Structure formats: C-alpha cells, structure tokens
Amino acid sequence: SQKIEQNSEALNIQEGKTATLTCNYTNYSPAYLQWYRQDPGRGPVFLLLIRENEKEKRKERLKVTFDTTLKQSLFHITASQPADSATYLCALLNNAGNMLTFGGGTRLMVKP
Amino acid sequence: NAGVMQNPRHLVRRRGQEARLRCSPMKGHSHVYWYRQLPEEGLKFMVYLQKENIIDESGMPKERFSAEFPKEGPSILRIQQVVRGDSAAYFCASSPYTAGADTQYFGPGTRLTVL
C-alpha cells in the first residue's frame, strides 16, 4: 500500500541553525511533491512544490530536494527563527492522480 | 481575494445530533476537498467534489457522512447521528484545476466536539 512517512518526533533546534525534515514514501510514482506548514488550530499553508524532474527548489530560506531513486524529499530551513516553529507536512498525489495524501507531519521547535 | 472560508469554526454537538459543516471555496475555484484531522494525527482525505458532482469519496465513511457542492452556495459536509469518535478538525481545501494539478488552498477548519 502507499505510504508517506515523516518523523513523528519533534525536531528541536537552536535559532540560526538549519532545520532538515525528511519525507519518505513507498509505492508511489509521484509527478511532484508538496510541502505545507500547519500552525496549531489552523489549516495547512502551501509552501513549495517540487516536480520529479527537479532535484532542488528554493524559496527564500526554504530548500526542498526530491530524490525519486531514494523515494525521499528533504525540506531545509536555513537561518531558522522561532517564528518557523510549526508542523510541516509533505504531500503526494496518489497514483490515480485524483487526490493528495499527506504525511503525518513533523513538528519543528526553534528555540531562541 | 478572500481565502477559503469555513463555518462554523467551532461546533459542539451531543451524541446522536447532526453536524453541518460549510465551506466556501476561493473565488474562481470549482474543486473542493474535505479532510479530517484527528488529534495527534495527520490529515486524511475524505471526499473530492466539483460543482454538483462527487468525484472521489473513497475516504468517506460509508454511513452517516455525506457531502455536496451545489451549483449555488457552499459545499456542505454533513454528519448524521454523531458519535464521540467524530470529534476532530475538518478542513476544506479548494483548487482551480483537477486535484493535485494545482496547489490546494486550505480553510481554517471546523473543530467538531461531540459530547
């Protein structure tokens, strides 16, 4: 069955450091992968989309890599700030191409 | 351009009552998706609708749950005879094209509490 796995344990890092979150998937052949941010009590907010033919994508302090051989995406936040503290979700289009499936999310805590 | 709107934001129901959750997609979006998020769990897809049509309801429980997206007005997720296990956050998302072909924009969610 199709699975998306994100580290369920919270990631605690110091302000200014780079946070790296991992998303692994099995039994998917995704055309692209998306990353979302979710704050407590709020809906997810789209951050970045990376296509299968793109190895890396950047947006300000965010960087996403996509390795279709390893079936893995890495999400990096450089020069992290306490305001980056949130849960980060990765999402894949299912093989039928008609819905997004989300990973369980990883909570990031950036300490001042 | 207003974002996806959901109401009510919080809904309390007693067991056996009905819950109606409303979602108004972003202007120009004709595709609506409903997700459920249980405490400490990820988002789970429930149903995908276009105007007046249910495209995919594979994530929807077979009983008590129904969804519609009429030609006019918001999309409605209806839960009949609620039970405590229905307590969750229900999120609606919309997109202008077919599922996944574009980013899905999420609403703030409706938090349902069943007493």
Side-chain angles (χ1 to χ4, degrees):
Chain A
S1 62
Q2 297 176 324
K3 273 189 180 179
I4 304 173
E5 292 184 342
Q6 294 184 256
N7 193 343
S8 59
E9 290 184 17
L11 177 64
N12 295 295
I13 64 167
Q14 205 66 37
E15 183 177 7
K17 300 291 186 185
T18 296
T20 299
L21 286 70
T22 305
C23 176
N24 295 296
Y25 60 90
T26 54
N27 296 323
Y28 277 98
S29 297
Y32 57 81
L33 183 147
Q34 301 182 13
W35 282 89
Y36 289 77
R37 168 183 173 144
Q38 186 175 23
D39 290 281
R42 298 190 170 221
V45 175
F46 171 77
L47 295 174
L48 279 169
L49 179 154
I50 185 166
R51 301 187 186 281
E52 60 178 341
N53 60 350
E54 297 175 314
K55 295 295 182 189
E56 180 181 298
K57 197 145 190 188
R58 291 175 186 262
K59 179 182 175 183
E60 298 173 351
R61 293 184 297 111
L62 308 181
K63 184 179 87 171
V64 172
T65 62
F66 191 17
D67 189 326
T68 55
T69 302
L70 290 178
K71 296 187 181 298
Q72 181 181 78
S73 175
L74 298 178
F75 177 81
H76 305 273
I77 306 175
T78 57
S80 59
Q81 304 167 0
D84 295 326
S85 298
T87 295
Y88 292 86
L89 308 166
C90 69
L92 289 173
L93 190 67
N94 69 337
N95 289 339
N98 61 359
M99 70 176 184
L100 279 176
T101 303
F102 285 83
T106 298
R107 193 165 61 149
L108 172 66
M109 300 284 291
V110 180
K111 298 183 178 178
Chain B
N1 187 11
V4 176
M5 298 175 68
Q6 290 187 249
N7 68 82
R9 294 292 308 277
H10 300 274
L11 182 62
V12 179
R13 285 286 178 266
R14 295 191 181 280
R15 280 180 297 169
Q17 291 184 320
E18 178 180 287
R20 277 184 180 242
L21 288 63
R22 294 175 192 79
C23 169
S24 295
M26 285 181 71
K27 187 176 180 181
H29 288 193
S30 57
H31 300 252
V32 165
Y33 316 84
W34 285 94
Y35 295 83
R36 177 163 66 175
Q37 189 171 38
L38 293 167
E40 304 303 320
E41 291 190 18
L43 282 163
K44 301 293 183 190
F45 168 81
M46 297 181 74
V47 62
Y48 161 37
L49 310 104
Q50 293 179 25
K51 283 286 187 182
E52 300 184 275
N53 289 305
I54 296 175
I55 307 301
D56 185 336
E57 56 182 350
S58 58
M60 194 100 99
K62 293 287 183 273
E63 298 177 352
R64 303 189 297 107
F65 285 71
S66 63
E68 62 177 15
F69 189 15
K71 189 176 180 182
E72 301 291 338
S75 175
I76 306 284
L77 178 68
R78 184 180 174 209
I79 311 172
Q80 294 178 291
Q81 299 173 339
V82 296
V83 300
R84 288 221 173 103
D86 297 333
S87 295
Y90 292 83
F91 291 97
C92 165
S94 71
S95 71
Y97 300 112
T98 54
D102 256 307
T103 306
Q104 293 185 20
Y105 297 85
F106 282 81
T110 293
R111 273 143 195 87
L112 172 66
T113 301
V114 180
L115 301 177

